[in-house]
Amino acid sequence: MPTIRSELCPLFVDGEWGPSSASTSEPVYNPSDGTVIARTPLCGADDIERAVKAAEAAFPGWAETPPVDRARVMFRYVHLLETHFDDLARLVTREHGKTLAEAKGSVRRGIEVVEFACGIPSLLMGESLEQIAPGIDCDAIRQPLGVCAGITPFNFPAMVPMWMFPLAIACGNTFVLKPSEKVPLTAIRLVELLHEARLPPGVMNLVHGGREAVDALLTHPSVKAVSFVGSTPVARHVYQTATTHGKRVQAAGGAKNYMIIMSDANPAATVDALIGSAFGCAGERCMAGSVAVAVQDAGDRVLPLLRDTVAQLRVGPTDRDPAAQMGPLVTQQHLERVKGYIDAGLSEGAELFLDGRDVRVPAAPNGFYLGPTILDRASTQMTIIRDEIFGPVLSVIRTDDLDAAIEACNGSGYGNAAVLFTTSGRAAREFRHRVSAGMVGINVGVPAPMAFFPFSGWNGSFFGDLHIQGREGVWFYTRQKVTMSRWG
Ligand code: NAD
């Protein structure tokens, strides 16, 4: 059973669950019905100090643990995650609101990172070259960094934390996780299961809170590396503050992902992909396609079918209605913010093609619901195109050719995903070559890389050098030592 022993979420420090010394807390909601299901303590510097000290003390022993034994913890963890897979997904749905199918998909993606971490002995292998000069050999090995910190957003309560700590720990580091204050419950369960996998005390620690907790981690002299995922302004702040304090940083930010539709695209397949990308997880996804650029007559070929299909989506309480196809937004405040963007789009001249604001969910009238919304004939100067909305709102721009579409996309300032729908190989090649984004989809609506590839945002979507996941993830959590040997 999950460790929710009181309403206030516990911390996990040095292998023990216990209370925070914070005097303030924030509510955690079940967004499906608006009820408060827990409270997140807003940890201050003293809680962070305890967690970092525990991680620091555990580091030498864990770093000396053979990689194969560290891998065995990960194998046991995979087994426990599989055993509790459905419960974890239900917890994600309960505190975030995405559908159970979406929650399961995200937990699966997280488990894949743990599976990747099971291969750590091979992933950590170095390089060597004999006889670089007469009688001299050279080799490069990888060693862990020390205490690493992870700071995560609300939209993937299981997957994003799992992008970080399994690989960091498998590499021989110790870890302090600070999940989003909006969704702390899944993180508690993930840490509990990791402990059950017989990870030594102090290797994994969990704290809670917001800015104060984050800033204490970013400036703590014993924290060697920071992994961050969240919005662009906070990612920039994290990168600047932590690098100023001498830390290695990977900070993934927000996004504005363009989906360009050529007039030769297959309409039915394109509509399918657009729905998943723009409205999946109620648009609360850093890979969500939030701008569709319709080239020539593509808009008229695709948009009516898109609207007719999307209008049928069942919006409802994902925690109790298995037929719900789209869930609520995470909080009332976020719902109001997204509605504010729809108002801004209309006042700046976009056309309302599908209005989700009047959605009614009689089974859960206090949930934070917004139906799928489409704003047509937007332009690149509008707020709805410049800002990340992070809700089920698709804005449509119309252009005459692929050049203009790529130019609009590259002007966004972000660079997470960019997608092209076409049956032309020439257009696909042109797009991949010229588009300024790190994750490209060709007839794929959500080109999210799997665990063995880097999650490869560019521009304002990423600050740092080494991305999360894949070999870059291993490189991020280790440093190289090069040795030259002469034995006479
Ligand atoms: P957020 O930036 O508000 O919060 C992220 C984390 O930073 C949380 O743990 C929060 O407590 C902390 N935080 C918030 N404000 C802070 C501040 N002023 N100083 C220090 N720490 C602060 O993001 P969110 O609303 O939780 O998540 C949504 C955002 O995350 C979206 O912008 C989305 O695109 C982005 N995201 C990006 C990726 C990616 O891979 N690029 C993946 C998932 C989500």
Side-chain angles (χ1 to χ4, degrees):
M1 286 297 291
T3 309
I4 312 299
R5 298 190 182 98
S6 73
E7 194 193 35
L8 204 58
C9 293
L11 314 190
F12 189 68
V13 175
D14 205 15
E16 301 281 343
W17 292 98
S20 161
S21 59
S23 53
T24 49
S25 63
E26 277 192 8
V28 180
Y29 295 97
N30 174 353
S32 282
D33 61 13
T35 52
V36 175
I37 52 174
R39 295 195 70 85
T40 306
L42 300 179
C43 291
D46 47 351
D47 283 331
I48 302 304
E49 179 67 19
R50 278 199 306 128
V52 173
K53 282 284 169 258
E56 197 176 18
F59 175 66
W62 184 242
E64 290 302 318
T65 303
V68 69
D69 290 334
R70 302 200 300 250
R72 284 192 182 111
V73 174
M74 292 299 147
F75 277 107
R76 288 194 290 270
Y77 193 37
V78 168
H79 175 72
L80 286 164
L81 291 167
E82 293 292 358
T83 306
H84 298 278
F85 182 81
D86 288 345
D87 287 347
L88 276 167
R90 268 194 288 274
L91 202 48
V92 169
T93 289
R94 185 154 186 259
E95 65 177 345
H96 175 269
K98 63 182 79 204
T99 67
L100 196 56
E102 290 167 341
K104 284 183 179 175
S106 71
V107 174
R108 177 59 53 210
R109 280 299 175 96
I111 291 176
E112 284 162 5
V113 182
V114 188
E115 289 168 342
F116 179 67
C118 288
I120 204 66
S122 311
L123 291 168
L124 283 178
M125 278 185 191
E127 296 174 313
S128 64
L129 184 64
E130 190 189 38
Q131 197 71 353
I132 55 157
I136 300 182
D137 302 334
C138 186
D139 67 50
I141 58 170
R142 293 200 161 269
Q143 294 187 330
L145 306 173
V147 179
C148 300
I151 299 153
T152 54
F154 76 79
N155 63 323
F156 282 103
M159 181 184 80
V160 174
M162 287 160 92
W163 280 356
M164 301 174 181
F165 67 82
L167 208 47
I169 286 173
C171 284
N173 302 286
T174 55
F175 207 84
V176 179
L177 173 66
K178 205 288 306 162
S180 165
E181 61 277 33
K182 297 187 180 80
V183 293
L185 303 180
T186 310
I188 290 174
R189 190 65 182 130
L190 289 176
V191 171
E192 210 167 37
L193 292 175
L194 185 55
H195 192 49
E196 245 177 271
R198 303 204 296 279
L199 189 73
V203 176
M204 178 72 188
N205 304 276
L206 176 71
V207 294
H208 297 290
R211 178 168 191 153
E212 200 184 335
V214 171
D215 285 348
L217 285 168
L218 302 182
T219 55
H220 198 295
S222 302
V223 173
K224 301 298 177 206
V226 175
S227 299
F228 173 87
V229 175
S231 60
T232 289
V234 184
R236 192 180 284 116
H237 163 73
V238 166
Y239 183 76
Q240 287 171 349
T241 310
T243 52
T244 303
H245 284 81
K247 299 174 202 329
R248 189 178 278 205
V249 183
Q250 49 180 198
K256 198 75 191 174
N257 304 310
Y258 281 58
M259 301 184 290
I260 300 174
I261 310 160
M262 302 299 283
S263 53
D264 62 7
N266 174 318
T270 301
V271 164
D272 238 28
L274 288 172
I275 292 171
S277 185
F279 304 111
C281 297
E284 290 172 331
R285 199 153 57 176
C286 69
M287 296 294 277
S290 50
V291 180
V293 186
V295 178
Q296 294 167 357
D297 65 347
D300 299 332
R301 287 160 47 82
V302 164
L303 287 182
L305 180 59
L306 176 69
R307 177 183 53 196
D308 295 347
T309 316
V310 160
Q312 304 303 317
L313 285 181
R314 184 180 168 102
V315 179
T318 46
D319 65 335
R320 63 201 75 165
D321 178 2
Q325 292 165 299
M326 203 175 100
L329 294 178
V330 71
T331 57
Q332 181 71 34
Q333 192 189 12
H334 187 53
L335 171 63
E336 297 306 332
R337 186 169 173 271
V338 174
K339 281 183 174 169
Y341 274 116
I342 299 173
D343 294 342
L346 296 177
S347 70
E348 290 175 20
E351 287 176 18
L352 193 58
F353 194 65
L354 179 65
D355 189 356
R357 290 172 298 177
D358 54 1
V359 72
R360 295 282 168 269
V361 181
N366 297 323
F368 312 137
Y369 298 99
L370 176 67
T373 299
I374 302 174
L375 298 169
D376 195 6
R377 300 193 187 277
S379 68
T380 49
Q381 299 80 39
M382 290 181 184
T383 315
I384 51 168
I385 299 295
R386 289 201 320 269
D387 288 8
E388 181 182 44
I389 298 176
F390 222 57
V393 180
L394 178 66
S395 308
V396 182
I397 297 175
R398 298 186 181 236
T399 61
D400 291 333
D401 55 33
L402 180 60
D403 283 348
I406 292 176
E407 195 182 320
C409 176
N410 288 356
S412 83
Y414 292 99
N416 240 21
V419 172
L420 182 74
F421 296 104
T422 187
T423 47
S424 156
R426 192 201 66 78
R429 187 190 180 279
E430 184 76 6
F431 174 71
R432 182 174 83 164
H433 184 62
R434 288 173 47 196
V435 78
S436 184
M439 293 175 274
V440 174
I442 307 289
N443 299 316
V444 172
V446 184
M450 293 183 74
F452 25 87
F453 284 101
F455 204 87
S456 196
W458 283 14
N459 309 327
S461 294
F462 185 75
F463 302 87
D465 300 293
L466 294 169
H467 291 90
I468 289 167
Q469 291 195 158
R471 279 193 182 273
E472 282 195 42
V474 177
W475 297 339
F476 179 79
Y477 291 123
T478 52
R479 53 185 174 171
Q480 285 207 86
K481 186 177 278 177
V482 179
T483 305
M484 305 242 270
S485 313
R486 174 159 49 197
W487 291 99

